[in-house]
C-alpha cells in the first residue's frame, strides 16, 4: 500500500486517544444527496482518501436514506487494511422518515448502521441534529442508551451534532462528565462565520473533541454558489457571490481559501469536507498540504474578509435541510 500523505496532520480528538487527520471525509455525498454517485466512484474516492492520509470518515443513516452508509461500507471494505487504521463516525436519531431519539430507536439504529457499514463497531456515534428533538430527552434517555452501547462495545465514543451552538452547552452542562466525548458543529467555523471560536475555551475545559463540518458553508463559499434551498439570507448569498468573483478575478478559488481558513485552527481536531470523487479528494488534500508548506494566502483572505464583513457571523435558523 502506498505511504500516507506526509503533510496531512494528525490531531488529538479531545480525550478519546484518537488522532484524526486534519481533513475528514464527509460521506454524505456518497448517498447521492448532491447528484448521482456510482458505486465505483464512491469506492475509488474512499480508497484515494485513505491512500493520501485521510483516516476519518463520517456518515449517517439519514444521508441518502441509508445509501451513504452502504457506499462507505463498501469503500472501507475495499481498503483491506486492519480496522484500527481508520476512524468511523455515524449518527442516530435522524432518519429519512423523521427524528426519533428514543432509547429503543437509537439502540436498534446502531445495529442497522453496523450491518450497512460492514463493521463490528464504530468509533463515534453522534446524536444527529439534536435541536429537532427534545434536548432533555437527549440528556435523560438518548445519552444513557448510548452509554450502554459503549459498554457493549458497539461504539467507542459518544457525540452530539447540530447547528445552534447553544445546544452543546445545554446538553454538556446537564450530563455527567465523560458522558459525551465529541461535538460536531457545522457552518460556524468558516470565513463568513467564526462563532464556534467563542465556544472553544468551554469545550476544551471539558476535554471535548471538536469536529467542524462544512467549511464551505454548505456551498456559499464556492465558485458555483449554494444550492437553491440554501437557507442563508439574500444579503449573505450575494456577499459570498461577490467574494467568490473577487477570488476568481485574482486566479484563486474561494473554496480552497475557505478550507485553508478552517484548517488553520489547531484547536479543531478535524474539518469534515463532503467528497464524492477522486478529484475532490486530491484537491482537498492538496489544499491542506499547501497550507502546511506555505501557510495561508493572507492577502486574498483579508480582501475576502472585508467583502464579507457586513454579513459576518450572520447565521440562519435550523431548518430541515433538503437532501
Amino acid at each position: 500500500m502506498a505511504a500516507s500523505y506526509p503533510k496531512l496532520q494528525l490531531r488529538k480528538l479531545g480525550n478519546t486517544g484518537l488522532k484524526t487527520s486534519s481533513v475528514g471525509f464527509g460521506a454524505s455525498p456518497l448517498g447521492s444527496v448532491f447528484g448521482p454517485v456510482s458505486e465505483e466512484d464512491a469506492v475509488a474516492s474512499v480508497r484515494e482518501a485513505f491512500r493520501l492520509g485521510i483516516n476519518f470518515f463520517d456518515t449517517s443513516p439519514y444521508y441518502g436514506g441509508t445509501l451513504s452508509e452502504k457506499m462507505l461500507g463498501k469503500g472501507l471494505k475495499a481498503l483491506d487494511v486492519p480496522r484500527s487504521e481508520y476512524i468511523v463516525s455515524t449518527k442516530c436519531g435522524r432518519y429519512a422518515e423523521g427524528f426519533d431519539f428514543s432509547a429503543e430507536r437509537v439502540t436498534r439504529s446502531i445495529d442497522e448502521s453496523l450491518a450497512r457499514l460492514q463493521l463490528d463497531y464504530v468509533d463515534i456515534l453522534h446524536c444527529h441534529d439534536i435541536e429537532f428533538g427534545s434536548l432533555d430527552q437527549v440528556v435523560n434517555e438518548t445519552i444513557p442508551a448510548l452509554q450502554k452501547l459503549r459498554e457493549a462495545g458497539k461504539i467507542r465514543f459518544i457525540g452530539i451534532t447540530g447547528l445552534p451552538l447553544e445546544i452543546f452547552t445545554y446538553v454538556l452542562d446537564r450530563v455527567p462528565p465523560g458522558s459525551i466525548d465529541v461535538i460536531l458543529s457545522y457552518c460556524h467555523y468558516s470565513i463568513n462565520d467564526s462563532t464556534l471560536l467563542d465556544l472553544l475555551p468551554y469545550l476544551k475545559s471539558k476535554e471535548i473533541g471538536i469536529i467542524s463540518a462544512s467549511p464551505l458553508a454548505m456551498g456559499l463559499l464556492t465558485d458555483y454558489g449554494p444550492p437553491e434551498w440554501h437557507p442563508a439570507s439574500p444579503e449573505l448569498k450575494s456577499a459570498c457571490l461577490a467574494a467568490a468573483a473577487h477570488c476568481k478575478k485574482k486566479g484563486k478559488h474561494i473554496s480552497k481559501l475557505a478550507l485553508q481558513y478552517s484548517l488553520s485552527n489547531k484547536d479543531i481536531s478535524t474539518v469534515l469536507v463532503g467528497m464524492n470523487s477522486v478529484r475532490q479528494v486530491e484537491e482537498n488534500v492538496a489544499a491542506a498540504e499547501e497550507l502546511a508548506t506555505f501557510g495561508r494566502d493572507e492577502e486574498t483572505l483579508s480582501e475576502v474578509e472585508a467583502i464579507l464583513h457586513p454579513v459576518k457571523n450572520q447565521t440562519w435558523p435550523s431548518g430541515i435541510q433538503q437532501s
Side-chain angles (χ1 to χ4, degrees):
M1 195 184 77
S4 288
Y5 218 62
K7 295 275 167 52
L8 210 50
Q9 279 177 327
L10 292 177
R11 297 180 183 173
K12 213 161 89 70
L13 185 64
N15 219 3
T16 62
L18 297 174
K19 287 192 165 172
T20 50
S21 48
S22 57
V23 177
F25 188 107
S28 68
L30 300 189
S32 294
V33 294
F34 301 105
V37 180
S38 70
E39 185 178 319
E40 188 185 5
D41 284 346
V43 169
S45 58
V46 171
R47 291 179 72 158
E48 184 66 357
F50 185 76
R51 189 180 79 78
L52 295 182
I54 292 176
N55 72 350
F56 179 55
F57 299 85
D58 174 83
T59 183
S60 164
Y62 173 68
Y63 301 148
T66 74
L67 183 60
S68 169
E69 285 188 325
K70 289 173 190 156
M71 290 293 204
L72 179 60
K74 287 175 178 174
L76 294 171
K77 199 175 176 66
L79 296 179
D80 200 22
V81 297
R83 172 68 183 85
S84 56
E85 297 276 301
Y86 52 83
I87 297 163
V88 180
S89 66
T90 192
K91 306 185 183 77
C92 63
R94 184 173 196 178
Y95 310 97
E97 61 276 13
F99 293 90
D100 187 345
F101 291 100
S102 67
E104 187 277 327
R105 182 67 187 99
V106 300
T107 302
R108 196 159 34 101
S109 188
I110 187 61
D111 291 330
E112 296 164 356
S113 290
L114 291 174
R116 288 189 287 262
L117 288 162
Q118 304 180 59
L119 297 174
D120 297 327
Y121 68 91
V122 294
D123 297 279
I124 304 162
L125 183 62
H126 290 287
C127 302
H128 195 178
D129 290 345
I130 58 174
E131 68 267 31
F132 292 105
S134 150
L135 295 184
D136 292 327
Q137 182 187 31
V138 170
V139 167
N140 299 315
E141 185 180 344
T142 321
I143 298 299
L146 266 49
Q147 287 174 304
K148 287 184 179 155
L149 296 176
R150 183 160 61 182
E151 285 157 23
K154 292 179 181 183
I155 71 176
R156 294 179 67 201
F157 302 104
I158 294 169
I160 48 177
T161 87
L163 182 68
L165 292 173
E166 62 273 16
I167 60 175
F168 299 121
T169 47
Y170 185 94
V171 172
L172 286 165
D173 283 344
R174 287 165 177 77
V175 295
S179 310
I180 291 172
D181 306 288
V182 185
I183 65 115
L184 191 166
S185 163
Y186 69 97
C187 291
H188 288 308
Y189 196 75
S190 48
I191 304 175
N192 60 298
D193 181 340
S194 57
T195 46
L196 181 60
L197 273 178
D198 298 336
L199 201 57
L200 292 183
Y202 169 88
L203 294 168
K204 285 173 78 177
S205 75
K206 291 193 176 280
E207 299 187 301
I208 300 289
I210 301 159
I211 298 167
S212 180
S214 210
L216 311 184
M218 300 193 315
L220 282 174
L221 302 174
T222 58
D223 288 337
Y224 41 86
E228 280 294 300
W229 51 261
H230 199 293
S233 69
E235 305 86 65
L236 179 51
K237 284 179 180 171
S238 96
C240 289
L241 217 59
H246 175 78
C247 289
K248 211 168 187 172
K249 207 169 74 192
K250 291 187 74 173
K252 315 269 180 170
H253 288 285
I254 193 163
S255 48
K256 182 163 89 170
L257 193 72
L259 176 56
Q260 291 179 334
Y261 174 88
S262 296
L263 283 170
S264 52
N265 190 324
K266 305 276 173 63
D267 286 335
I268 292 168
S269 302
T270 188
V271 176
L272 271 182
V273 192
M275 310 187 216
N276 62 12
S277 68
V278 166
R279 182 185 59 78
Q280 285 178 354
V281 170
E282 288 171 344
E283 283 174 1
N284 291 325
V285 175
E289 187 198 29
E290 185 186 284
L291 176 69
T293 311
F294 303 107
R296 297 193 303 201
D297 176 353
E298 296 293 349
E299 181 187 296
T300 309
L301 181 60
S302 62
E303 291 161 359
V304 164
E305 286 183 316
I307 295 167
L308 296 178
H309 183 70
V311 292
K312 178 81 173 173
N313 296 338
Q314 184 188 104
T315 188
W316 47 84
S318 276
I320 297 189
Q321 302 310 337
Q322 192 114 350
S323 54

